[in-house]
Amino acid sequence: MRCRSSLALSLLLAAAGGAACAAGALVDPQAVLRGWLASLAFWIGLPLGAMMLLFAHDLTGGRWGAAAVPPLRAMVAALPLALLLLLPVLVWLPQIYPWARPEEAAHLRNQFYLNTPFFLARAATYAVVWLLLAWAALRRPGTGANPVAAPGLILLGLTGSFAAVDWMMSVEPDWGSSIYGMMIISGQLLGALALATLAAVLGGRPDGGRVDGGRVDPGQRNDLGSLLIAAVLLWFYLSFMQFLIVWQENLPQEITWYVRRLAGGWGWTAVLGALAQGAVPFLALVWWPVKRSRRGLAAVCALLLAAHLMECWWLILPGLEGGFTWFAPAAALAMGGAGAAVFLRRLGRRGAGRAPARAADGHVAAPAALPDGARHG
């Protein structure tokens, strides 16, 4: 009953956000597209980050998978929907990207890369690769290691970096950063891990039990909290290094990117994001009672997800004429409601809820001891 009510609420929120965007498209379609792209950067990153974490768990194992793998698989199942939500951006490219407007692209030196046919071909390539990897992640072999895990991680790293450059960085085609793709991927990993941890701890009972038969005990919560610390540090390091290098070089063609994002309200957004996605979660998670607490860990994960959404807006909207409008939250609501419906439906299925078997010491059992070949979840 609880799952059905959550599913109904998700669909209601999706309908409300979609109706707001549809009405706004009649008045200011460019504003809606800006908010749509900025919010899509958040939602499409969750299944991509989830796939990376699934492949990493296939390679390394660990008891954290008993709690995190089911929601990670549910996130990957939402990838086709996220790719479908990309279509409005691809159809109305000139409304968003300056390089797609011939009169503004004439002075660009990278037209060989930033042009509509090649852009669409790359987007189709990313979609095909990701869908095949998602199929491999969800239809993994019954026993033994997943042979797709290692090459899958490499492909996700490459395609994810290029997609970040294409869909996010190219809103300002005169600016470039070699660390940008890795920074975006670190945010995707952090967001996916935060959502998986949130779903795991909220899906369990206070005594650590889960309706689906798995266990989210204090030890697993401690492991998930430690992984979140590592993800926070990775994101903070890459974000700060890009800022430090660009600011130290002090070149006009590079520093203007940060000037736009540190002026006015966007500057406060940057400070708040650094605190909410970096300092505050780190300081909370290094205190072990928070890592072992359901409520404490859930609060940190919710803060990380909200901060990551705000970061995606901060990365894209200042570079577009018109900046932030309330269509960005409306688009986030529409996408989030639809994605949550897919996520909850998949997570509620018996196959998605099956967790890895664990030995008496709390570690994942050997492959031979797992029923139905559910190694690592």
Side-chain angles (χ1 to χ4, degrees), residues 17-184:
C21 290
L26 301 176
V27 180
D28 192 350
Q30 192 174 40
V32 175
L33 284 171
R34 290 198 307 269
W36 193 267
L37 175 64
S39 298
L40 180 64
F42 172 81
W43 290 111
I44 202 171
L46 295 179
L48 296 179
M51 268 197 290
M52 295 181 199
L53 290 170
L54 283 175
F55 287 145
H57 186 265
D58 284 335
L59 293 172
T60 63
R63 66 180 178 179
W64 62 273
V69 164
L72 287 174
R73 291 166 64 87
M75 272 184 267
V76 173
L79 178 63
L81 173 63
L83 292 173
L84 187 64
L85 295 173
L86 179 65
L87 289 179
V89 175
L90 300 180
V91 171
W92 288 287
L93 283 180
Q95 297 290 327
I96 303 176
Y97 298 100
W99 52 262
R101 300 189 284 269
E103 66 280 4
E104 297 186 34
H107 71 283
L108 295 178
R109 293 177 296 178
N110 53 356
Q111 293 184 59
F112 71 95
Y113 185 81
L114 291 179
N115 59 80
T116 299
F118 194 21
F119 182 91
L120 295 177
R122 292 195 302 272
T125 302
Y126 306 150
V128 171
V129 171
W130 293 343
L131 289 173
L132 289 175
L133 290 177
W135 179 84
L138 296 177
R139 299 286 183 181
R140 34 205 305 279
T143 58
N146 187 349
V148 182
L153 277 174
I154 296 173
L155 283 174
L156 282 171
L158 290 173
T159 55
S161 297
F162 276 99
V165 171
D166 288 354
W167 301 345
M168 300 174 67
M169 193 171 75
S170 72
V171 297
E172 295 165 275
D174 291 320
W175 184 81
S177 169
S178 59
I179 204 174
Y180 189 90
M182 291 185 291
M183 183 182 72
I184 298 302

Side-chain angles (χ1 to χ4, degrees), residues 311-340:
E311 180 201 13
C312 291
W313 292 346
W314 180 82
L315 287 169
I316 294 176
L317 293 176
L320 296 171
E321 186 178 352
F324 178 85
T325 67
W326 288 105
F327 291 120
L333 195 65
M335 298 177 188

